[in-house]
PDB file of all heavy atoms in Angstrom:
ATOM      1  N   LEU A   1     -17.799  -7.893  32.114  1.00  0.00           N
ATOM      2  CA  LEU A   1     -17.956  -6.655  32.881  1.00  0.00           C
ATOM      3  C   LEU A   1     -17.794  -6.899  34.361  1.00  0.00           C
ATOM      4  O   LEU A   1     -17.224  -6.077  35.094  1.00  0.00           O
ATOM      5  CB  LEU A   1     -19.338  -6.052  32.585  1.00  0.00           C
ATOM      6  CG  LEU A   1     -19.532  -5.453  31.176  1.00  0.00           C
ATOM      7  CD1 LEU A   1     -20.988  -5.067  30.977  1.00  0.00           C
ATOM      8  CD2 LEU A   1     -18.618  -4.254  30.972  1.00  0.00           C
ATOM      9  N   GLU A   2     -18.318  -8.040  34.832  1.00  0.00           N
ATOM     10  CA  GLU A   2     -18.151  -8.368  36.256  1.00  0.00           C
ATOM     11  C   GLU A   2     -16.728  -8.841  36.556  1.00  0.00           C
ATOM     12  O   GLU A   2     -16.125  -8.425  37.552  1.00  0.00           O
ATOM     13  CB  GLU A   2     -19.147  -9.453  36.667  1.00  0.00           C
ATOM     14  CG  GLU A   2     -19.061  -9.819  38.146  1.00  0.00           C
ATOM     15  CD  GLU A   2     -20.116 -10.805  38.568  1.00  0.00           C
ATOM     16  OE1 GLU A   2     -20.963 -11.186  37.730  1.00  0.00           O
ATOM     17  OE2 GLU A   2     -20.096 -11.210  39.749  1.00  0.00           O
ATOM     18  N   ARG A   3     -16.167  -9.691  35.681  1.00  0.00           N
ATOM     19  CA  ARG A   3     -14.837 -10.241  35.909  1.00  0.00           C
ATOM     20  C   ARG A   3     -13.776  -9.127  35.975  1.00  0.00           C
ATOM     21  O   ARG A   3     -12.878  -9.165  36.812  1.00  0.00           O
ATOM     22  CB  ARG A   3     -14.483 -11.240  34.807  1.00  0.00           C
ATOM     23  CG  ARG A   3     -13.105 -11.880  34.961  1.00  0.00           C
ATOM     24  CD  ARG A   3     -12.794 -12.804  33.808  1.00  0.00           C
ATOM     25  NE  ARG A   3     -13.581 -14.028  33.837  1.00  0.00           N
ATOM     26  CZ  ARG A   3     -13.218 -15.124  34.497  1.00  0.00           C
ATOM     27  NH1 ARG A   3     -12.089 -15.156  35.183  1.00  0.00           N
ATOM     28  NH2 ARG A   3     -13.993 -16.204  34.466  1.00  0.00           N
ATOM     29  N   TYR A   4     -13.882  -8.144  35.099  1.00  0.00           N
ATOM     30  CA  TYR A   4     -12.863  -7.101  35.010  1.00  0.00           C
ATOM     31  C   TYR A   4     -13.312  -5.799  35.640  1.00  0.00           C
ATOM     32  O   TYR A   4     -12.778  -4.731  35.330  1.00  0.00           O
ATOM     33  CB  TYR A   4     -12.493  -6.886  33.535  1.00  0.00           C
ATOM     34  CG  TYR A   4     -12.104  -8.155  32.823  1.00  0.00           C
ATOM     35  CD1 TYR A   4     -12.741  -8.544  31.650  1.00  0.00           C
ATOM     36  CD2 TYR A   4     -11.107  -8.983  33.332  1.00  0.00           C
ATOM     37  CE1 TYR A   4     -12.397  -9.720  31.001  1.00  0.00           C
ATOM     38  CE2 TYR A   4     -10.759 -10.167  32.694  1.00  0.00           C
ATOM     39  CZ  TYR A   4     -11.416 -10.533  31.529  1.00  0.00           C
ATOM     40  OH  TYR A   4     -11.074 -11.700  30.898  1.00  0.00           O
ATOM     41  N   ALA A   5     -14.275  -5.888  36.555  1.00  0.00           N
ATOM     42  CA  ALA A   5     -14.850  -4.671  37.153  1.00  0.00           C
ATOM     43  C   ALA A   5     -13.808  -3.781  37.804  1.00  0.00           C
ATOM     44  O   ALA A   5     -13.905  -2.540  37.713  1.00  0.00           O
ATOM     45  CB  ALA A   5     -15.917  -5.077  38.188  1.00  0.00           C
ATOM     46  N   ARG A   6     -12.801  -4.372  38.463  1.00  0.00           N
ATOM     47  CA  ARG A   6     -11.797  -3.532  39.152  1.00  0.00           C
ATOM     48  C   ARG A   6     -10.862  -2.852  38.172  1.00  0.00           C
ATOM     49  O   ARG A   6     -10.206  -1.884  38.519  1.00  0.00           O
ATOM     50  CB  ARG A   6     -11.022  -4.373  40.161  1.00  0.00           C
ATOM     51  CG  ARG A   6     -11.874  -5.006  41.249  1.00  0.00           C
ATOM     52  CD  ARG A   6     -12.687  -3.951  42.037  1.00  0.00           C
ATOM     53  NE  ARG A   6     -13.419  -4.566  43.116  1.00  0.00           N
ATOM     54  CZ  ARG A   6     -14.641  -5.072  43.024  1.00  0.00           C
ATOM     55  NH1 ARG A   6     -15.278  -5.048  41.839  1.00  0.00           N
ATOM     56  NH2 ARG A   6     -15.254  -5.605  44.064  1.00  0.00           N
ATOM     57  N   HIS A   7     -10.755  -3.374  36.957  1.00  0.00           N
ATOM     58  CA  HIS A   7     -10.022  -2.656  35.903  1.00  0.00           C
ATOM     59  C   HIS A   7     -10.890  -1.549  35.322  1.00  0.00           C
ATOM     60  O   HIS A   7     -10.416  -0.441  35.070  1.00  0.00           O
ATOM     61  CB  HIS A   7      -9.646  -3.614  34.761  1.00  0.00           C
ATOM     62  CG  HIS A   7      -8.427  -4.424  35.016  1.00  0.00           C
ATOM     63  ND1 HIS A   7      -7.977  -5.377  34.130  1.00  0.00           N
ATOM     64  CD2 HIS A   7      -7.564  -4.440  36.051  1.00  0.00           C
ATOM     65  CE1 HIS A   7      -6.888  -5.944  34.603  1.00  0.00           C
ATOM     66  NE2 HIS A   7      -6.629  -5.396  35.778  1.00  0.00           N
ATOM     67  N   LEU A   8     -12.156  -1.833  35.142  1.00  0.00           N
ATOM     68  CA  LEU A   8     -13.041  -0.911  34.464  1.00  0.00           C
ATOM     69  C   LEU A   8     -13.249   0.382  35.241  1.00  0.00           C
ATOM     70  O   LEU A   8     -13.480   1.441  34.654  1.00  0.00           O
ATOM     71  CB  LEU A   8     -14.394  -1.567  34.183  1.00  0.00           C
ATOM     72  CG  LEU A   8     -14.333  -2.790  33.250  1.00  0.00           C
ATOM     73  CD1 LEU A   8     -15.700  -3.477  33.175  1.00  0.00           C
ATOM     74  CD2 LEU A   8     -13.876  -2.378  31.855  1.00  0.00           C
ATOM     75  N   VAL A   9     -13.151   0.302  36.562  1.00  0.00           N
ATOM     76  CA  VAL A   9     -13.334   1.522  37.365  1.00  0.00           C
ATOM     77  C   VAL A   9     -12.046   2.325  37.483  1.00  0.00           C
ATOM     78  O   VAL A   9     -12.062   3.446  38.001  1.00  0.00           O
ATOM     79  CB  VAL A   9     -13.883   1.188  38.775  1.00  0.00           C
ATOM     80  CG1 VAL A   9     -15.265   0.571  38.668  1.00  0.00           C
ATOM     81  CG2 VAL A   9     -12.929   0.286  39.553  1.00  0.00           C
ATOM     82  N   LEU A  10     -10.939   1.770  37.011  1.00  0.00           N
ATOM     83  CA  LEU A  10      -9.705   2.541  36.976  1.00  0.00           C
ATOM     84  C   LEU A  10      -9.805   3.589  35.858  1.00  0.00           C
ATOM     85  O   LEU A  10     -10.030   3.251  34.692  1.00  0.00           O
ATOM     86  CB  LEU A  10      -8.485   1.642  36.717  1.00  0.00           C
ATOM     87  CG  LEU A  10      -8.045   0.735  37.857  1.00  0.00           C
ATOM     88  CD1 LEU A  10      -7.002  -0.269  37.370  1.00  0.00           C
ATOM     89  CD2 LEU A  10      -7.431   1.576  39.000  1.00  0.00           C
ATOM     90  N   ARG A  11      -9.629   4.840  36.218  1.00  0.00           N
ATOM     91  CA  ARG A  11      -9.793   5.904  35.234  1.00  0.00           C
ATOM     92  C   ARG A  11      -8.847   5.738  34.045  1.00  0.00           C
ATOM     93  O   ARG A  11      -9.194   6.004  32.900  1.00  0.00           O
ATOM     94  CB  ARG A  11      -9.550   7.265  35.906  1.00  0.00           C
ATOM     95  CG  ARG A  11      -9.648   8.462  34.967  1.00  0.00           C
ATOM     96  CD  ARG A  11      -9.535   9.761  35.763  1.00  0.00           C
ATOM     97  NE  ARG A  11      -8.324   9.779  36.573  1.00  0.00           N
ATOM     98  CZ  ARG A  11      -7.127  10.152  36.098  1.00  0.00           C
ATOM     99  NH1 ARG A  11      -6.990  10.485  34.836  1.00  0.00           N
ATOM    100  NH2 ARG A  11      -6.063  10.163  36.907  1.00  0.00           N
ATOM    101  N   GLN A  12      -7.625   5.245  34.320  1.00  0.00           N
ATOM    102  CA  GLN A  12      -6.641   5.116  33.253  1.00  0.00           C
ATOM    103  C   GLN A  12      -6.877   3.885  32.359  1.00  0.00           C
ATOM    104  O   GLN A  12      -6.265   3.776  31.310  1.00  0.00           O
ATOM    105  CB  GLN A  12      -5.226   5.040  33.853  1.00  0.00           C
ATOM    106  CG  GLN A  12      -4.802   6.277  34.622  1.00  0.00           C
ATOM    107  CD  GLN A  12      -5.159   6.179  36.103  1.00  0.00           C
ATOM    108  OE1 GLN A  12      -6.075   5.427  36.481  1.00  0.00           O
ATOM    109  NE2 GLN A  12      -4.460   6.930  36.925  1.00  0.00           N
ATOM    110  N   VAL A  13      -7.709   2.971  32.831  1.00  0.00           N
ATOM    111  CA  VAL A  13      -7.991   1.756  32.045  1.00  0.00           C
ATOM    112  C   VAL A  13      -9.381   1.839  31.430  1.00  0.00           C
ATOM    113  O   VAL A  13      -9.530   2.037  30.230  1.00  0.00           O
ATOM    114  CB  VAL A  13      -7.854   0.500  32.928  1.00  0.00           C
ATOM    115  CG1 VAL A  13      -8.130  -0.762  32.096  1.00  0.00           C
ATOM    116  CG2 VAL A  13      -6.465   0.404  33.517  1.00  0.00           C
ATOM    117  N   GLY A  14     -10.406   1.669  32.270  1.00  0.00           N
ATOM    118  CA  GLY A  14     -11.775   1.763  31.793  1.00  0.00           C
ATOM    119  C   GLY A  14     -12.085   0.742  30.718  1.00  0.00           C
ATOM    120  O   GLY A  14     -11.346  -0.226  30.484  1.00  0.00           O
ATOM    121  N   GLY A  15     -13.191   0.965  30.018  1.00  0.00           N
ATOM    122  CA  GLY A  15     -13.598   0.067  28.952  1.00  0.00           C
ATOM    123  C   GLY A  15     -12.617   0.009  27.788  1.00  0.00           C
ATOM    124  O   GLY A  15     -12.265  -1.073  27.318  1.00  0.00           O
ATOM    125  N   PRO A  16     -12.137   1.180  27.310  1.00  0.00           N
ATOM    126  CA  PRO A  16     -11.187   1.145  26.184  1.00  0.00           C
ATOM    127  C   PRO A  16      -9.884   0.412  26.517  1.00  0.00           C
ATOM    128  O   PRO A  16      -9.373  -0.359  25.695  1.00  0.00           O
ATOM    129  CB  PRO A  16     -10.939   2.635  25.924  1.00  0.00           C
ATOM    130  CG  PRO A  16     -12.163   3.327  26.407  1.00  0.00           C
ATOM    131  CD  PRO A  16     -12.583   2.543  27.608  1.00  0.00           C
ATOM    132  N   GLY A  17      -9.362   0.610  27.721  1.00  0.00           N
ATOM    133  CA  GLY A  17      -8.136  -0.065  28.107  1.00  0.00           C
ATOM    134  C   GLY A  17      -8.318  -1.552  28.247  1.00  0.00           C
ATOM    135  O   GLY A  17      -7.480  -2.347  27.803  1.00  0.00           O
ATOM    136  N   GLN A  18      -9.448  -1.967  28.852  1.00  0.00           N
ATOM    137  CA  GLN A  18      -9.707  -3.390  28.991  1.00  0.00           C
ATOM    138  C   GLN A  18      -9.922  -4.034  27.619  1.00  0.00           C
ATOM    139  O   GLN A  18      -9.507  -5.186  27.386  1.00  0.00           O
ATOM    140  CB  GLN A  18     -10.924  -3.642  29.879  1.00  0.00           C
ATOM    141  CG  GLN A  18     -11.203  -5.102  30.162  1.00  0.00           C
ATOM    142  CD  GLN A  18     -10.050  -5.785  30.897  1.00  0.00           C
ATOM    143  OE1 GLN A  18      -9.519  -5.253  31.869  1.00  0.00           O
ATOM    144  NE2 GLN A  18      -9.654  -6.956  30.432  1.00  0.00           N
ATOM    145  N   ALA A  19     -10.541  -3.318  26.705  1.00  0.00           N
ATOM    146  CA  ALA A  19     -10.727  -3.849  25.359  1.00  0.00           C
ATOM    147  C   ALA A  19      -9.391  -4.086  24.680  1.00  0.00           C
ATOM    148  O   ALA A  19      -9.211  -5.077  23.963  1.00  0.00           O
ATOM    149  CB  ALA A  19     -11.574  -2.877  24.542  1.00  0.00           C
ATOM    150  N   LYS A  20      -8.435  -3.200  24.911  1.00  0.00           N
ATOM    151  CA  LYS A  20      -7.085  -3.374  24.350  1.00  0.00           C
ATOM    152  C   LYS A  20      -6.411  -4.611  24.950  1.00  0.00           C
ATOM    153  O   LYS A  20      -5.746  -5.364  24.251  1.00  0.00           O
ATOM    154  CB  LYS A  20      -6.229  -2.136  24.614  1.00  0.00           C
ATOM    155  CG  LYS A  20      -6.641  -0.921  23.813  1.00  0.00           C
ATOM    156  CD  LYS A  20      -5.756   0.272  24.155  1.00  0.00           C
ATOM    157  CE  LYS A  20      -6.167   1.515  23.394  1.00  0.00           C
ATOM    158  NZ  LYS A  20      -5.312   2.687  23.748  1.00  0.00           N
ATOM    159  N   ILE A  21      -6.584  -4.782  26.264  1.00  0.00           N
ATOM    160  CA  ILE A  21      -6.013  -5.958  26.924  1.00  0.00           C
ATOM    161  C   ILE A  21      -6.622  -7.240  26.342  1.00  0.00           C
ATOM    162  O   ILE A  21      -5.913  -8.200  26.022  1.00  0.00           O
ATOM    163  CB  ILE A  21      -6.245  -5.883  28.455  1.00  0.00           C
ATOM    164  CG1 ILE A  21      -5.402  -4.741  29.056  1.00  0.00           C
ATOM    165  CG2 ILE A  21      -5.901  -7.202  29.129  1.00  0.00           C
ATOM    166  CD1 ILE A  21      -5.704  -4.456  30.528  1.00  0.00           C
ATOM    167  N   CYS A  22      -7.929  -7.240  26.186  1.00  0.00           N
ATOM    168  CA  CYS A  22      -8.618  -8.430  25.677  1.00  0.00           C
ATOM    169  C   CYS A  22      -8.278  -8.720  24.212  1.00  0.00           C
ATOM    170  O   CYS A  22      -8.412  -9.859  23.757  1.00  0.00           O
ATOM    171  CB  CYS A  22     -10.128  -8.268  25.820  1.00  0.00           C
ATOM    172  SG  CYS A  22     -10.718  -8.320  27.544  1.00  0.00           S
ATOM    173  N   ALA A  23      -7.839  -7.712  23.497  1.00  0.00           N
ATOM    174  CA  ALA A  23      -7.481  -7.893  22.088  1.00  0.00           C
ATOM    175  C   ALA A  23      -6.006  -8.230  21.891  1.00  0.00           C
ATOM    176  O   ALA A  23      -5.610  -8.588  20.785  1.00  0.00           O
ATOM    177  CB  ALA A  23      -7.817  -6.616  21.296  1.00  0.00           C
ATOM    178  N   ALA A  24      -5.217  -8.142  22.950  1.00  0.00           N
ATOM    179  CA  ALA A  24      -3.766  -8.327  22.836  1.00  0.00           C
ATOM    180  C   ALA A  24      -3.375  -9.797  22.888  1.00  0.00           C
ATOM    181  O   ALA A  24      -4.092 -10.635  23.454  1.00  0.00           O
ATOM    182  CB  ALA A  24      -3.050  -7.560  23.949  1.00  0.00           C
ATOM    183  N   SER A  25      -2.220 -10.094  22.304  1.00  0.00           N
ATOM    184  CA  SER A  25      -1.664 -11.444  22.366  1.00  0.00           C
ATOM    185  C   SER A  25      -0.250 -11.362  22.885  1.00  0.00           C
ATOM    186  O   SER A  25       0.527 -10.477  22.529  1.00  0.00           O
ATOM    187  CB  SER A  25      -1.686 -12.100  20.976  1.00  0.00           C
ATOM    188  OG  SER A  25      -0.972 -11.326  20.034  1.00  0.00           O
ATOM    189  N   VAL A  26       0.094 -12.294  23.778  1.00  0.00           N
ATOM    190  CA  VAL A  26       1.400 -12.305  24.429  1.00  0.00           C
ATOM    191  C   VAL A  26       1.999 -13.686  24.402  1.00  0.00           C
ATOM    192  O   VAL A  26       1.317 -14.679  24.699  1.00  0.00           O
ATOM    193  CB  VAL A  26       1.298 -11.827  25.902  1.00  0.00           C
ATOM    194  CG1 VAL A  26       2.655 -11.821  26.576  1.00  0.00           C
ATOM    195  CG2 VAL A  26       0.650 -10.448  25.995  1.00  0.00           C
ATOM    196  N   LEU A  27       3.256 -13.762  24.040  1.00  0.00           N
ATOM    197  CA  LEU A  27       4.004 -15.026  24.091  1.00  0.00           C
ATOM    198  C   LEU A  27       4.897 -15.026  25.319  1.00  0.00           C
ATOM    199  O   LEU A  27       5.742 -14.146  25.465  1.00  0.00           O
ATOM    200  CB  LEU A  27       4.859 -15.200  22.829  1.00  0.00           C
ATOM    201  CG  LEU A  27       5.618 -16.525  22.716  1.00  0.00           C
ATOM    202  CD1 LEU A  27       4.644 -17.693  22.534  1.00  0.00           C
ATOM    203  CD2 LEU A  27       6.628 -16.499  21.576  1.00  0.00           C
ATOM    204  N   VAL A  28       4.710 -15.994  26.195  1.00  0.00           N
ATOM    205  CA  VAL A  28       5.531 -16.133  27.395  1.00  0.00           C
ATOM    206  C   VAL A  28       6.534 -17.261  27.140  1.00  0.00           C
ATOM    207  O   VAL A  28       6.140 -18.410  26.960  1.00  0.00           O
ATOM    208  CB  VAL A  28       4.670 -16.442  28.643  1.00  0.00           C
ATOM    209  CG1 VAL A  28       5.550 -16.599  29.874  1.00  0.00           C
ATOM    210  CG2 VAL A  28       3.640 -15.339  28.856  1.00  0.00           C
ATOM    211  N   VAL A  29       7.804 -16.910  27.130  1.00  0.00           N
ATOM    212  CA  VAL A  29       8.855 -17.899  26.893  1.00  0.00           C
ATOM    213  C   VAL A  29       9.435 -18.321  28.226  1.00  0.00           C
ATOM    214  O   VAL A  29      10.061 -17.535  28.940  1.00  0.00           O
ATOM    215  CB  VAL A  29       9.951 -17.313  25.978  1.00  0.00           C
ATOM    216  CG1 VAL A  29      11.043 -18.362  25.751  1.00  0.00           C
ATOM    217  CG2 VAL A  29       9.356 -16.874  24.651  1.00  0.00           C
TER     218      VAL A  29
END
């Protein structure tokens, strides 16, 4: 909650958006 605080206060992101980010997986080639 502290680490991602600036994401969480974004109306378009918030808790649900950050949860999606934390659940996502990305392969960088």
Side-chain angles (χ1 to χ4, degrees):
L1 289 173
E2 182 175 357
R3 180 182 289 272
Y4 307 125
R6 299 303 184 272
H7 279 177
L8 297 173
V9 296
L10 287 170
R11 178 175 54 84
Q12 298 90 337
V13 180
Q18 185 61 46
K20 290 179 181 179
I21 292 172
C22 290
S25 58
V26 180
L27 183 68
V28 179
V29 179

